[in-house]
């Protein structure tokens, strides 16, 4: 069973379009994240949700809007796509607490290409 | 502010040899976690090894081991008996409340 799954794996779209990436985790974790990995492989945190509440919101354009309908799902919607949005987007989850190391479990990534 | 520095953008190692990837971090905290993640060409991020800062003993996972120097804020990864499948991007990460990643080291394994 896939622990953290995200769909789609690949998106190719035109500038100005809107797209969504979905993420689901079956690990029972309470915290989920979106990371952006650019062409130089830099990993940058975008958002983090804990039990459906937004706890990290880095400097990300308003065109990016996360939504967490429940603690097992964290979706990412992007409006008015720009060339610079082309990247690999990773969903991840972790469980925090005294008995957990809180390591990140990553999805396979979604490669977004904006033409 | 917490930062993680990987000073080696690229490294190479001969198959069956040993290689060490460097990582330093900056923190004022005393209790935190450190990780090494591997990202092969398939792009999946895979946990290689973890270290709790309160443990003095260096973590080991098969051919992977770390040299954790808390006072020096250093957390290097040693890969022994390198295999072709070890070729990947390696990321060092620090966790206290949230995660901080280094910029990665690209490891090439030469047959």
């Amino acid at each position: 069973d896939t622990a953290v799954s995200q769909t789609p794996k690949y998106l190719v779209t035109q500038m100005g379009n809107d797209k969504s990436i979905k993420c689901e985790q079956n690990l029972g974790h309470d915290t989920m994240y979106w990371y952006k990995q650019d062409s130089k492989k830099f990993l940058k945190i975008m958002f983090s949700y804990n039990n459906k509440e937004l706890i990290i919101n880095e400097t990300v354009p308003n065109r990016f809007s996360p939504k967490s309908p429940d603690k097992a799902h964290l979706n990412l919607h992007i409006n008015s796509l720009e060339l610079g949005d082309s990247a690999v987007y990773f969903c991840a989850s972790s469980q925090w607490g005294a008995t957990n190391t809180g390591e990140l479990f990553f999805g396979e990534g979604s490669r977004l290409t904006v033409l | 502010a917490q930062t993680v520095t990987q000073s080696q953008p690229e490294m190479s190692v001969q198959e069956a040899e040993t290689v060490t990837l460097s990582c330093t971090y900056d923190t004022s905290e005393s209790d935190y976690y450190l990780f090494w993640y591997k990202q092969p060409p398939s792009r999946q991020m895979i946990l290689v090894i973890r270290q709790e800062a309160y443990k003095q003993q260096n973590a080991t996972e098969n051919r992977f081991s770390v040299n954790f120097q808390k006072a020096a804020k250093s957390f290097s990864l040693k890969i022994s008996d390198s295999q072709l499948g070890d070729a990947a991007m390696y990321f060092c990460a620090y966790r206290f409340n949230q995660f901080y990643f280094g910029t990665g080291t690209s490891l090439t394994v030469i047959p």
Side-chain angles (χ1 to χ4, degrees):
Chain A
D1 275 349
T2 304
V4 182
S5 60
Q6 49 182 113
T7 55
K9 301 286 188 291
Y10 298 92
L11 303 92
V12 179
T13 189
Q14 300 286 330
M15 276 176 55
N17 284 349
D18 304 341
K19 287 293 178 186
S20 292
I21 308 172
K22 295 184 177 181
C23 179
E24 176 181 4
Q25 55 99 359
N26 62 6
L27 298 166
H29 288 168
D30 58 9
T31 307
M32 295 185 72
Y33 310 78
W34 279 109
Y35 281 85
K36 178 181 180 180
Q37 186 176 44
D38 63 21
S39 58
K40 293 184 178 179
K41 303 290 189 181
F42 296 158
L43 270 169
K44 181 181 175 182
I45 180 78
M46 299 175 70
F47 304 102
S48 175
Y49 272 73
N50 180 270
N51 283 318
K52 302 194 299 176
E53 289 196 22
L54 181 66
I55 57 171
I56 295 176
N57 184 357
E58 293 294 310
T59 307
V60 176
N62 293 342
R63 300 180 295 101
F64 291 80
S65 53
K67 280 190 174 54
S68 183
D70 55 61
K71 75 173 192 175
H73 296 83
L74 179 61
N75 304 321
L76 182 66
H77 187 75
I78 316 171
N79 290 327
S80 303
L81 280 156
E82 299 178 357
L83 293 177
D85 297 332
S86 295
V88 178
Y89 292 85
F90 283 98
C91 177
S93 72
S94 69
Q95 180 66 34
W96 292 58
T99 59
N100 293 287
T101 59
E103 69 196 61
L104 285 172
F105 289 77
F106 285 88
E108 293 177 305
S110 297
R111 179 178 294 280
L112 171 65
T113 303
V114 182
L115 303 175
Chain B
Q2 287 91 345
T3 58
V4 178
T5 301
Q6 294 179 248
S7 58
Q8 307 152 316
E10 297 177 346
M11 291 282 283
S12 61
V13 62
Q14 207 72 35
E15 196 175 2
E17 297 295 311
T18 296
V19 65
T20 299
L21 308 184
S22 300
C23 174
T24 59
Y25 56 95
D26 185 26
T27 184
S28 57
E29 305 296 336
S30 60
D31 196 11
Y32 48 86
Y33 294 91
L34 296 163
F35 306 88
W36 278 97
Y37 280 88
K38 169 185 177 180
Q39 187 180 35
S42 66
R43 84 170 180 240
Q44 177 73 52
M45 294 285 286
I46 303 163
L47 178 69
V48 175
I49 200 165
R50 70 173 75 84
Q51 174 81 43
E52 293 91 334
Y54 62 86
K55 289 186 177 178
Q56 292 187 340
Q57 187 172 5
N58 289 325
T60 300
E61 288 286 341
N62 300 314
R63 297 182 296 107
F64 298 86
S65 61
V66 298
N67 183 3
F68 174 47
Q69 302 288 328
K70 190 171 184 179
K73 297 177 185 175
S74 171
F75 182 60
S76 59
L77 175 70
K78 185 171 90 170
I79 306 174
S80 304
D81 185 26
S82 296
Q83 300 175 359
L84 295 177
D86 295 334
M89 195 79 172
Y90 286 82
F91 292 94
C92 177
Y94 159 99
R95 191 217 104 188
F96 181 82
N97 289 338
Q98 65 168 302
F99 286 86
Y100 299 86
F101 282 87
T103 50
T105 296
S106 178
L107 179 66
T108 301
V109 180
I110 303 164

